[in-house]
Amino acid sequence: MASTRWWKDEVVYQVYPRSFQDTNDDGIGDLNGITQRLDYIKALGVTTIWISPVYKSPMVDMGYDIADYQSIDPQFGTMDDFDHLLAEAKKRGLKVIMDLVVNHSSDQHDWFQQALADPNSKYRDYYIFKHTDDGKVPNNWRSIFGGSTWTEVPSEPGTYYFHTFAPQQPDLNWENPELREEIYSMINWWLDKGISGFRIDAITHLKKDLDWASIEPDGEDGLANVVKKGQNRPGLDKFLIELKQKTFDKYDAMTVGEAYGVPTADMPKFIGPDGYFSMIFDFSYFNIEVNNVDEWYRGRSNWHVKDLKKLLFDSQSAIKSADGWTANVIENHDQSRALSKFIKDPKYQTPVAAKALATMYYFLRGIPFIYQGQELGAKNFKRSDISEFNDISSINNYQTGIKIGMKKDDVLDLINFKSRDNARVPMQWDGSKFGGFSDNEPWLEMGNDRDGINVADESNDSESVLKFYQHLNMLRKDPMYRDVIVEGSLEQVETPDDVVGYRRAINKQSLLVFVNLGEETEEINFTGNYEFVLSNARTYTEMKPGQVNLKPYEAVVLFENNR
């Protein structure tokens, strides 16, 4: 059945459980910590919680390496704790979606352990193994986390297994129907529990080119990025159609695909009225700040606001053409903080700028996602040595940079700028040593630019970033504005290079959004009888007809109602 699109009114809050709230004083966040903070999440005005992986895992990639899909890792609690969280969320009218990681498992998963133990086991075909007689790996593909995609099987010289990501994350063999059925059964087990859907990890990697051929190297290591042979490849549609029919469709589930690299022409298949997923993340401008999305050591990019605008509006145009929905984001667990990323000059990395970025993305067509701490205006940290990092991708990028001759300080500067650990530091509930996250030393060091950036302080400040996000969520539910924000069309408005401007419109209602992301005051002219709705910097008591002046990093939202 086609989706009813019930989810188009949702606002989603992403929780990274390990860093959200510790309730048993081991320095690690847990499921009971999420339950404890449900009233805060509800008060923020969101309607759905996305919980990053809490499955049993050795945590090589912080839970995205799953050892048992139907068990809770003990550091997060128990399945009873999860069931309690789900029940308490429902009492508050909050839905819960889980992370679904089915491109790969952990190398500690029972399937993989049995595949290693017995080459003739059926589980050998649950993964991808290749044998060579020349002592060389099967091809020259480079993994997302660096190095070859092939690791030799212990005690089997010349036999290798395939991994798009880390060696501890062997790829599942989606060519095997029996493996696929196991996955579908597991997904339906979770949906039967009462969760509302999934965020689906690395989903465009399921299909690989079965020639397994080496290709032209694209780096000093003689390797080529695996995405050229293992992302959005012909035949992927077969897997995604079957996945949807055998699981999500049966429950009218909300599904959010992490779908990097989807061509515009394929958008209708992914997010159209009968697409594979309810929505996919709009990553169009997510990595604008670096030259390579996976290989950060290649340096920062020299981007400008006009580049950001082009990416943003090209993406919105593709979504419109597909008659689809998107998940709008400026932060998640795999990214550095938006305030530090999109605002280049530290002196402008202020609450005003955090609210400008919120305004820019919140009113786009699609579903707004808020990542924990984003609603506080959190910033990046500054680490002085690679030993202070946990993120596997940060460590691999650092080691690669050093290997090719980069200076330590230069590569460390890039890692500080881009590290996923920036988003994974403990949540800042108050201004105490450990931020109210735990009474003991957290698993990851706190951020070191956090004065006043916490829930306690911002709850008592009417001009805080937190209060601003609460107001945004109120506007989305307000009957006056709901239709134009949720259902309205979107068109770009001509503005100066450093100003993002767009119009949402439906049934003689119109919303104008202007965001100045530059360091000069800009005069904006428009036509129509608009009234002031929202500003990130001040309250307008009056406006000149058809004109507004925006100081650096100021934003304004205007409304016209001709019903």
Side-chain angles (χ1 to χ4, degrees), residues 122-388:
K122 73 171 186 176
Y123 296 105
R124 182 61 67 116
D125 197 42
Y126 275 33
Y127 296 87
I128 300 165
F129 289 86
K130 299 291 179 185
H131 184 83
T132 65
D133 295 319
D134 58 6
K136 297 179 181 179
V137 296
N139 59 39
N140 72 337
W141 301 357
R142 183 193 306 109
S143 77
I144 297 292
F145 289 159
S148 175
T149 55
W150 299 96
T151 293
E152 193 167 25
V153 176
S155 74
E156 288 187 52
T159 300
Y160 302 84
Y161 68 87
F162 178 81
H163 49 89
T164 295
F165 296 92
Q168 299 89 343
Q169 296 169 291
D171 279 40
L172 293 162
N173 179 19
W174 273 72
E175 304 294 335
N176 181 348
E178 188 175 357
L179 175 275
R180 297 201 304 271
E181 289 299 328
E182 294 248 29
I183 291 173
Y184 303 151
S185 177
M186 174 271 294
I187 291 171
N188 291 335
W189 183 84
W190 279 104
L191 289 168
D192 282 336
K193 263 189 174 292
I195 68 169
S196 297
F198 294 96
R199 175 265 187 187
I200 304 144
D201 183 74
I203 197 63
T204 52
H205 291 283
L206 299 187
K207 179 69 178 179
K208 287 81 175 171
D209 285 354
L210 300 183
D211 61 5
W212 303 102
S214 291
I215 55 176
E216 185 70 26
D218 58 19
E220 299 86 346
D221 55 6
L223 304 178
N225 197 318
V226 66
V227 301
K228 298 175 181 178
K229 298 287 280 182
Q231 184 185 78
N232 290 306
R233 304 310 295 162
L236 175 64
D237 56 338
K238 171 190 171 183
F239 298 151
L240 298 186
I241 290 169
E242 185 180 270
L243 169 64
K244 178 174 183 279
Q245 290 175 343
K246 295 204 170 187
T247 60
F248 311 141
D249 265 2
K250 295 179 178 180
Y251 298 83
D252 195 14
M254 172 180 173
T255 54
V256 192
E258 184 195 34
Y260 273 107
V262 175
T264 298
D266 287 347
M267 280 287 197
K269 297 179 184 177
F270 276 79
I271 57 171
D274 196 30
Y276 311 138
F277 307 111
S278 308
M279 66 197 86
I280 60 174
F281 287 105
D282 183 5
F283 289 148
S284 59
Y285 53 91
F286 228 30
N287 297 289
I288 193 172
E289 82 282 21
V290 289
N291 289 320
N292 187 291
V293 59
D294 300 312
E295 299 162 4
W296 318 328
Y297 62 86
R298 296 186 185 274
R300 303 190 194 198
S301 65
N302 184 29
W303 68 277
H304 301 281
V305 176
K306 64 180 180 181
D307 304 317
L308 172 64
K309 289 163 61 173
K310 177 170 174 44
L311 291 168
L312 189 157
F313 291 118
D314 283 354
S315 175
Q316 285 284 314
S317 176
I319 293 159
K320 177 182 178 182
S321 297
D323 188 19
W325 242 255
T326 188
N328 294 317
V329 285
I330 55 174
E331 288 189 14
N332 72 12
H333 64 287
D334 280 336
Q335 293 286 323
S336 55
R337 291 295 184 175
L339 192 56
S340 301
K341 174 196 297 188
F342 293 115
I343 311 301
K344 296 180 181 180
D345 190 336
K347 76 178 181 182
Y348 287 110
Q349 292 171 0
T350 64
V352 167
K355 290 186 277 187
L357 293 173
T359 306
M360 178 193 76
Y361 98 101
Y362 191 91
F363 293 98
L364 295 172
R365 190 171 188 273
I367 311 301
F369 277 59
I370 302 168
Y371 178 72
Q372 66 181 52
Q374 174 186 326
E375 77 275 19
L376 305 176
K379 303 179 189 180
N380 281 0
F381 53 49
K382 182 75 172 177
R383 308 295 202 217
S384 59
D385 191 84
I386 193 63
S387 63
E388 299 174 67

Side-chain angles (χ1 to χ4, degrees), residues 410-476:
D410 290 342
V411 67
L412 191 62
D413 178 66
L414 284 167
I415 302 305
N416 270 304
F417 177 61
K418 185 61 175 171
S419 176
R420 302 189 299 180
D421 279 346
N422 281 298
R424 299 177 182 186
V425 296
M427 180 71 172
Q428 294 156 192
W429 297 104
D430 59 39
S432 62
K433 182 179 180 181
F434 299 138
F437 163 74
S438 178
D439 291 332
N440 287 323
E441 189 82 32
W443 72 276
L444 186 65
E445 185 181 345
M446 302 293 296
N448 48 9
D449 187 359
R450 58 191 183 98
D451 287 350
I453 304 174
N454 63 72
V455 173
D457 287 350
E458 296 194 30
S459 294
N460 295 316
D461 178 2
S462 62
E463 299 300 315
S464 70
V465 181
L466 174 58
K467 291 292 187 181
F468 191 77
Y469 271 93
Q470 288 176 329
H471 188 56
L472 291 176
N473 292 334
M474 288 173 59
L475 283 176
R476 188 176 174 89

Side-chain angles (χ1 to χ4, degrees), residues 31-32 35 72 77-87 193:
L31 289 171
N32 288 333
T35 304
I72 300 296
T78 66
M79 191 60 75
D80 285 343
D81 293 332
F82 178 84
D83 292 340
H84 178 60
L85 164 60
L86 188 61
K193 263 189 174 292

